[in-house]
Amino acid sequence: MTAAGALALLRRFWWAIPIIGLAAALLITRETLADRTATLKAERTAWTAEIERAERQRADIERQHADRITQATATYADRLASRQPIIIRSTDTVRTYAQTDAGRARCLGPDRVRGIAEDRAALHSEEPGTAPRGADALPADAADDPG
């Protein structure tokens, strides 16, 4: 083949050179793409596992918090119930409660129980304004030691 024949052949099939270059680039790109796709899949799997672990941990923490709230509420209610005073509404209630073991130790005798109206009357028996208020200074008591 002479130079003129090669030049004629090149003119006729010049378009084959870019196609061969593009085919080589395609093969190289396919290998690179497959490698990057595998890397991305591995990263996605790792992140998915990490997110699932974090979600499980969050759910466990929320469940533990709810359990602690429930337990604290129950404990608070128990403590509050144990601190509640026994409200005595009538002499019969006092007599009935006084007959129990706890009542014998904690209750006053039924004859010492007074009603709310009697207590209020005893507290407010004086009319307001009858006692002097701040007009006279209190006398100093020399017998009491302030310390």
Side-chain angles (χ1 to χ4, degrees):
M1 181 181 257
T2 63
L7 189 58
L9 190 61
L10 183 62
R11 283 185 186 161
R12 184 173 180 131
F13 294 107
W14 66 268
W15 47 266
I17 295 172
I19 290 178
I20 292 171
L22 287 173
L26 179 64
L27 291 175
I28 293 170
T29 304
R30 284 178 71 188
E31 289 180 19
T32 305
L33 182 63
D35 183 42
R36 289 185 182 165
T37 303
T39 303
L40 286 174
K41 283 183 182 178
E43 287 180 5
R44 184 177 294 137
T45 303
W47 276 108
T48 303
E50 184 67 23
I51 289 171
E52 288 174 358
R53 186 193 63 78
E55 288 293 324
R56 282 193 310 271
Q57 185 179 12
R58 184 183 58 82
D60 289 343
I61 289 171
E62 285 179 357
R63 183 183 43 78
Q64 290 171 358
H65 179 68
D67 291 344
R68 274 189 246 126
I69 292 291
T70 303
Q71 185 179 8
T73 303
T75 303
Y76 177 73
D78 292 343
R79 286 182 183 173
L80 190 63
S82 69
R83 291 180 188 167
Q84 288 285 330
I86 298 171
I87 299 172
I88 300 173
R89 292 187 175 87
S90 69
T91 306
D92 293 333
T93 306
V94 173
R95 285 190 198 119
T96 306
Y97 184 67
Q99 291 173 358
T100 64
D101 293 335
R104 283 188 208 102
R106 297 180 69 190
C107 271
L108 299 174
D111 56 331
R112 296 182 62 192
V113 176
R114 294 183 296 170
I116 294 174
E118 293 172 3
D119 288 340
R120 186 178 296 138
L123 286 174
H124 300 292
S125 62
E126 294 181 10
E127 292 182 20
T130 58
R133 299 192 179 214
D136 298 327
L138 293 175
D141 192 3
D144 288 342
D145 185 12

